Structures are given as structure tokens and as C-alpha cells.
Amino acid sequence: MRHTYREIDACGVKVALKLLAGKWTPIIFYHLGAGPLRFTELWHEIPRVSKKVLVVQLRQLEEAGLVARSVHNGFPPEVSYQLTPKGAGLVPIMQSLDQWAMTHITEAVHIA
Amino acid sequence: MRHTYREIDACGVKVALKLLAGKWTPIIFYHLGAGPLRFTELWHEIPRVSKKVLVVQLRQLEEAGLVARSVHNGFPPEVSYQLTPKGAGLVPIMQSLDQWAMTHITEAVHIA
DNA sequence: CCGCATCCACGTAGATACTG
DNA sequence: CAGTATCTACGTGGATGCGG
């Protein structure tokens, strides 16, 4: 059986990789994996990312259901982010990737 | 301890994802996982990819040590590609990703 | 058969400034 | 505090054609 282009893009591995491979996704998961964080807390944990880009990344993860956004209205605003169970299910896979990298790529630094 | 930008980019997870997340990497792994293939065989297995792009992807995987390229000189030329042990080590991780996707993403199609 | 050269389209990310 | 609005830069992938 031949697979069409659309089917290939819908392949589970590709869908998962599309979500994981955002430039800041791994470090977001690393920090949120330790528990919920407010936006600015998370922003301060991640060096050299603009607020705009961080917002965009979080929106994408939220839309995919990997991250939950909780708004507590009032002033000042308070918004916290945390991993959903669906998102948390990717954490062990990231650990596998890290394990693979440590085995095969000596130059890589172990962070997350 | 604070991590610098360079260190974050060298993080093992990011290095591994960078390699995996090429547009055609999963399907290349899927086909090479079944055994070595010649260039044109592989090309015919993958719909809608240009030869140029496939060559570029294979070069990157080769440079990273995930794929081995064997040339048998003569005419016509004969070049075969296969996964290295290092590359094969990523296959179970891809299967984990597929498993995760099947659990959480009902719309995804199971191919590789 | 295998691959390179050229040119092009698009998505993602960054810099900067402004706002409820 | 937690965003939004523009504008810009760059990398990846794609179309097509040529060559050993």
C-alpha cells in the first residue's frame, strides 16, 4: 500500500515531533516538569527568549493540550502554566532522548 | 546554576530532536529500519520528495553518524544507505513517540 | 543511477515598542 | 504582570535542470 503525502504528515511520530521540536519546547518542559510556574517566573528561567516568542510557544503547547493555562483575574494579572497528563507523558521520552544523546554524543551537555 | 544559551543548544534532548525532526527523517528511518536500500529504491518509497532534498537529508544523517552510505563504484553507480547502530538506537524512541501519539492523538495515522 | 546548482517559497524566531 | 503589534532575518524545504 502506498501512503499519500497527507497521511505521512499525519503519522503519529511526525505529529509528536512537530510538538516537541519547537526551539524552546524542551526547556519549557524541563521547567514545568518541576511544577506550575507563572509566566514571568518561567520567562526568567529561560535566558534569551523574548516574551512574544515564549507566549507563542506556550500557545501552541496549550492548543495541542500539552500545557494548561490558568488565569486568576485581578490586578496584577496572574497566569500560571503547568503540564497536562498528556504533556507529562512526553517527559520520559525526552529522558530517553537525553539518555541516547549521552551515550552517543559526547559533546552534548546534560541539562534536561 | 544558570545555563547559557550555548549550553541550552548543546542540551542532549535538543541535539537529538534536531536530528529527528527533519521533515523526512521519520519515514527515512521507517524504510531503512527494514534493511539497507539503494538511493533510488528509497526515493521511490517516499512520495513527493525531490531527489535533492532526499540527498540533503541523507547527508545530514550521515554526518551525524545515524546513517551509513556505501558506494560501490562502477557504471551504473550503486549507492546504498543503512542505519548505523547509533541511528538504530533511535528507533525504539520513535516507537515510543508513536505509542504516545496513538494514546493521545486519535486523528493521527499509524505508519511508522 | 546518483547527485549537484540555482533560484524560490514559507514558517519560525527575534527585536522592539506599546497596553489593559 | 502578562501579554499584543510590527517589522525583519534566517533556515529549511521545494522545483527544475544539468552532469559524471
Side-chain angles (χ1 to χ4, degrees), chain B residues 2-92:
Chain B
R2 264 292 199 293
H3 306 295
T4 72
Y5 181 75
R6 285 195 55 76
E7 282 164 349
I8 286 170
D9 257 4
C11 159
V13 178
K14 291 218 63 182
V15 172
L17 284 174
K18 182 91 177 173
L19 296 171
L20 281 182
K23 179 164 180 179
W24 303 101
T25 311
I27 195 170
I28 290 172
F29 267 67
Y30 174 67
H31 289 296
L32 290 188
L37 286 176
R38 295 179 58 175
F39 178 80
T40 303
E41 290 172 336
L42 181 58
W43 186 51
H44 280 106
E45 291 294 337
I46 304 179
R48 303 188 199 218
V49 66
S50 72
K51 282 187 297 180
K52 184 208 104 171
V53 169
L54 184 56
V55 167
V56 170
Q57 303 275 311
L58 287 169
R59 284 286 179 280
Q60 292 171 354
L61 294 174
E62 188 194 359
E63 192 176 356
L66 306 186
V67 161
R69 177 172 176 271
S70 316
V71 185
H72 311 282
N73 274 323
F75 207 91
E78 181 175 340
V79 179
S80 68
Y81 293 89
Q82 59 186 310
L83 294 185
T84 63
K86 179 174 172 180
L90 286 173
V91 171

Side-chain angles (χ1 to χ4, degrees), chain A residues 1-35:
Chain A
M1 171 192 175
R2 261 298 201 287
H3 306 293
T4 72
Y5 180 74
R6 286 194 54 75
E7 281 165 348
I8 286 169
D9 257 3
C11 159
V13 177
K14 291 220 63 182
V15 172
L17 284 174
K18 181 89 177 174
L19 296 172
L20 281 181
K23 179 164 181 180
W24 303 100
T25 311
I27 195 171
I28 289 173
F29 267 68
Y30 174 67
H31 288 295
L32 290 188

Side-chain angles (χ1 to χ4, degrees), chain A residues 22-80:
Chain A
K23 179 164 181 180
W24 303 100
T25 311
I27 195 171
I28 289 173
F29 267 68
Y30 174 67
H31 288 295
L32 290 188
L37 286 176
R38 295 178 58 175
F39 178 80
T40 304
E41 291 173 335
L42 182 58
W43 186 50
H44 280 107
E45 291 294 338
I46 303 179
R48 302 187 198 219
V49 66
S50 73
K51 282 189 295 181
K52 184 209 106 173
V53 169
L54 184 55
V55 167
V56 169
Q57 304 275 310
L58 286 169
R59 286 283 180 283
Q60 292 171 353
L61 294 174
E62 188 194 356
E63 192 176 357
L66 305 186
V67 161
R69 177 172 176 271
S70 316
V71 185
H72 312 281
N73 274 324
F75 207 91
E78 181 174 339
V79 179
S80 68

Side-chain angles (χ1 to χ4, degrees), chain A residues 84-95:
Chain A
T84 63
K86 178 175 173 180
L90 287 173
V91 171
I93 298 182
M94 291 213 196
Q95 291 169 347

